[in-house]
Structure formats: C-alpha cells, structure tokens
Amino acid sequence: MKYSIESLKKSRIVVVVLWLIYASAYFGRTCYSAAIASIVSNGIYTKADIGIVGTVFFICYGVGQIVNGIVGDRVNPFKMVLCGAFLSGLCCVSIAFADSILAMSIIWGANGIFQSMLWSPLLRIYSETINEKLRHKAVLHIALSLPVGTVCSYLVSTLIIKYLDFKYVFISGGIVVFAMFLTALLYFSSIRKSIVKEKRHVVLASDKASSNQTGLWSVILLSGLLVILVPSFLHGMMRDGITNWVPTMITEVYGVSPSLSTFLTIALPIFNAFGAYAVTPLYKKLGNNEMKTAGVTAAIALVPMLLLMLIGKIPVFAVVILLALTTASMYALNYLIISRVPVRFASYSCTSTISGILNSFAYIGCSVSVYGFGAVSQKMGWTAVIMIWIVSAVLTSAFAFLSNTKWKKFI
C-alpha cells in the first residue's frame, strides 16, 4: 500500500514532526555514550563491561534494521514510527533502574530493536509520501537531526552528571522521546483523513535492464549494493565508535574531569551538523554521484586522522577540533550512503528495505567499534585505535570507488 499527502502545508509539518522524532531518538541513544565516562570514573563498571552494553545495542539495532526495513515497505510507516518511538522511550527510562550489566544489556538491546523501527519507514515517508517538492530537501535536512539530538543530549548530560546521578541522564532521554511521541501521535491523528492510500506499483529491475532475475536480488546486483555494504560497515564503525569513546579518550589522555570531557565533545556534533551540508557542493560537482563523492570524502578524512597520531603531544582543544573534522566527514558519508543511496530505489518500491540493509551493516560496524575500540585502547593505547580509523578510511575510499562502476550506470 502506498501512502501520499498532496497538501504542501501538511507535508511540511510531517517533515518537521518526523525530524523531531528522529532527533529525540538520537537524544535518547546518545545518553548512554554521554554517561560512559561518568560510569567508568566512578568505578561502577569497567570499559569492557560498558562496551558490552553498547555492543548489544548496535547488534540488535543492526539486525532490527534488516527486519524492520523489509517490514517498513509493507505496513503503515506512520504507525511503525510511533510504535518505535514509544517503546524506545520506555527503554530509556527503564535502564536507569537496571542494577547489573546483564539487565542493562537486555534493556538497551531492546532499545536497539525499537529504535531500528524509525529510520527506514521515516525515509520511506520522505521519499514516497510527502509532497514531491519537499522530498530532496527533507532527505538533506533529516541529516541535521542526528547532531542536533546529540548536542542536546550532551548539554543536558553535562549538567546532570555535574550535579546529579548519571541515572537521571537516561530518565531525561526517556522524557524527551515520550514528548516527541505524543506530538507525532496528535498530529498524525489529525491528518489521518488527508493521507491517501493506493496500491503500490512495483517496478522490477528487469523493467530497466535486461536480466534473467527479477525482484530485490536483481536490484541489488544491478546497483552494486553488495560492494556498497563495505563502506557502509566501515563508516558506521568510525562514526559512532569515535563519538562513543571520545569523552573517555580525552579523560584518560589529558586527565580532565568526565563532565568537562563530555562538554568538550559537544564540538563534535556541532561540526557534524554541517557534514551533510558541506559535502553537498562536492556531491553536485561530481554529478550527484553518491559513491564517487563518498570515495573523495573518505580520502579527505585521512588528513585530520593522520594529525590525530600526535594525541597527547598537542593541546586538548586541537584534538577536539581534529576529532570534529573526522566525525563531520563520517556524517557526510552517512548522508551519502544511508540517506541518499536508498532514495535511488524509490521507483523500485523498496526504499525502506534498502535503507534497512545499509543501516544494518553500518550498525554492525558500530557494534564492533563500541566494544573493540575500548578493548584495543585498554591493551594497546589510543594511538592504536587511531591507526584502525586510518586503515578504515583508506578501505572506505577504495571500496566506494570500486562500487562506482555499477552505481554510475544504475543512477
């Protein structure tokens, strides 16, 4: 079933409401990484223990992306977003009362599953449902919700960690998610009669190119998506892996307090906010080619990464700036691979499915980094972790260019 909203005004409000939902979801999930430094410094759990909880979240989120991506092409996307937001808010509040790593892992893993119900149906609404005049800008602007949600989470968390117990960080995350859930519920209910339902016309890959196969697998082969999965995995590993461990890295290398390190890392999401916008001129110059642009962007990210090898020898604020430039590049890659690439599949009526597959691989990368970066830093130091980032950026660039052979024909 295809859903469409003809009204330009109502489409604009839908775009804003979904933007707020996703920003609140990032606020909720970032509460965990913002609280890590405080939990570790209090001696409650070790870095490895905390890494396990984060790993469980990303594994559940990654697996959930595939399942919910497929489901998102077959059910009412508005109801799916509402359900995911409500259950995620419930998990944020619940983890504040968890008294063991096992309980935290179960609750935060469930949160990963529920949060995976948001992105794919949201992207389907943006690429298929809202007024056509808003679709391109909506996909661009949704990238801003990630860093905005993260910045707000770090700001609130900094104040809470300074004056209250870290458990209130999670409660605040739940309150924010619930507030946006209620906002969306009220508005979607008010425009229910304006949402037109019609049967979806599925375009097979065989309709656009000669092939002995049809359906999703044919589309995957035709587009070179199997190769694109590698940059998706690697950029995900760097994107959230860096963000999760930066407060701890700064605390250990420079000896600053957990609250100050959390505050300093607010610079990262502020820079990240401009990642998608900064890469847009390059994207247009390279012929609106997502993978070619991704290859160049990953190569550019190597500059600040190489300079980060001087960590401990240069001022902490210089390190924060270099990390911010690095993560901004990762969010530019996220916009290209996770936001732009799935929209190319709208005519095949599988935007949500492709989005789920790509996002799944990105968060499998995240699950590796959340535990892996902590373990590597504990045994070999943070310089070794930075070396992993450098190798990952080189591979991301190489595979992005490799995938471009099929991708440029597909688009």
Side-chain angles (χ1 to χ4, degrees):
M1 186 70 70
K2 182 178 180 180
Y3 301 85
S4 61
I5 302 173
E6 305 250 340
S7 169
L8 188 62
K9 180 180 178 181
K10 290 177 180 177
S11 289
R12 282 199 181 101
I13 300 176
V14 167
V15 169
V16 172
V17 169
L18 289 174
W19 192 97
L20 290 171
I21 280 279
Y22 207 67
S24 72
Y26 250 79
F27 185 105
R29 79 169 68 174
T30 307
C31 285
Y32 185 78
S33 59
I36 285 177
S38 177
I39 297 171
V40 172
S41 66
N42 287 340
I44 302 172
Y45 301 111
T46 66
K47 286 191 293 182
D49 290 334
I50 291 300
I52 289 172
V53 179
T55 298
V56 170
F57 172 89
F58 287 123
I59 289 174
C60 291
Y61 188 90
V63 173
Q65 277 295 333
I66 295 179
V67 176
N68 290 315
I70 295 171
V71 172
D73 273 324
R74 291 161 174 77
V75 302
N76 185 318
F78 294 95
K79 291 181 179 179
M80 190 170 177
V81 168
L82 288 172
C83 183
F86 174 79
L87 293 171
S88 176
L90 195 61
C91 287
C92 286
V93 174
S94 298
I95 196 172
F97 302 97
D99 57 359
S100 68
I101 286 295
L102 177 60
M104 291 175 69
S105 298
I106 292 172
I107 295 170
W108 215 235
N111 190 32
I113 294 173
F114 300 140
Q115 288 229 347
S116 72
M117 296 171 68
L118 300 175
W119 176 253
S120 296
L122 182 152
L123 199 60
R124 177 186 165 190
I125 294 170
Y126 275 9
S127 62
E128 296 181 10
T129 303
I130 62 173
N131 189 286
E132 194 171 352
K133 294 180 180 178
L134 299 175
R135 291 176 186 177
H136 178 76
K137 287 185 178 180
V139 173
L140 174 61
H141 295 329
I142 191 62
L144 189 62
S145 67
L146 283 68
V148 168
T150 304
V151 167
C152 292
S153 179
Y154 273 124
L155 285 172
V156 172
S157 299
T158 298
L159 292 173
I160 291 174
I161 289 170
K162 189 172 181 64
Y163 299 107
L164 299 170
D165 190 271
F166 72 87
K167 292 183 178 181
Y168 289 98
V169 171
F170 297 113
I171 294 173
S172 70
I175 291 171
V176 170
V177 176
F178 278 135
M180 293 304 102
F181 158 76
L182 289 173
T183 301
L185 178 63
L186 291 172
Y187 185 67
F188 292 163
S189 297
S190 71
I191 65 165
R192 185 171 49 190
K193 294 181 180 179
S194 301
I195 302 175
V196 179
K197 300 178 183 178
E198 57 189 52
K199 289 185 178 180
R200 303 173 84 188
H201 172 61
V202 180
V203 181
L204 300 176
S206 56
D207 295 333
K208 291 193 173 183
S210 60
S211 174
N212 294 324
Q213 300 170 312
T214 58
L216 181 62
W217 184 245
S218 180
V219 174
I220 290 173
L221 293 177
L222 185 69
S223 62
L225 190 72
L226 292 177
V227 181
I228 296 174
L229 293 177
V230 178
S232 183
F233 169 86
L234 291 170
H235 103 276
M237 184 176 71
M238 292 182 285
R239 185 196 67 195
D240 281 11
I242 295 172
T243 303
N244 272 291
W245 284 111
V246 161
T248 308
M249 176 193 289
I250 293 175
T251 297
E252 291 185 351
V253 175
Y254 289 94
V256 300
S257 67
S259 61
L260 179 58
S261 70
T262 301
F263 180 77
L264 286 173
T265 51
I266 292 174
L268 269 67
I270 290 175
F271 271 74
N272 295 344
F274 299 100
Y277 294 93
V279 82
T280 299
L282 178 63
Y283 174 63
K284 292 180 179 178
K285 187 175 182 179
L286 296 176
N288 295 335
N289 184 317
E290 289 81 6
M291 299 319 299
K292 190 175 182 179
T293 310
V296 174
T297 302
I300 292 173
L302 283 170
V303 177
M305 285 183 181
L306 289 168
L307 291 174
L308 278 169
M309 292 296 291
L310 298 173
I311 189 169
K313 301 175 183 177
I314 56 178
V316 62
F317 292 104
V319 170
V320 171
I321 291 172
L322 291 173
L323 286 166
L325 291 172
T326 300
T327 55
S329 300
M330 295 307 108
Y331 273 80
L333 288 171
N334 188 76
Y335 166 67
L336 294 167
I337 299 171
I338 304 300
S339 298
R340 291 299 321 163
V341 168
V343 173
R344 295 285 192 177
F345 295 83
S347 61
Y348 297 101
S349 296
C350 58
T351 297
S352 180
T353 300
I354 299 300
S355 172
I357 292 171
L358 286 170
N359 228 355
S360 174
F361 272 76
Y363 279 93
I364 291 172
C366 293
S367 68
V368 171
S369 67
V370 170
Y371 177 77
F373 289 172
V376 170
S377 69
Q378 200 162 317
K379 292 183 179 180
M380 304 171 64
W382 289 107
T383 303
V385 175
I386 296 169
M387 282 297 298
I388 294 174
W389 299 348
I390 293 170
V391 173
S392 298
V394 171
L395 292 174
T396 298
S397 183
F399 276 92
F401 284 123
L402 181 63
S403 68
N404 188 51
T405 303
K406 284 190 174 182
W407 184 251
K408 65 183 179 182
K409 296 178 182 178
F410 178 75
I411 64 176

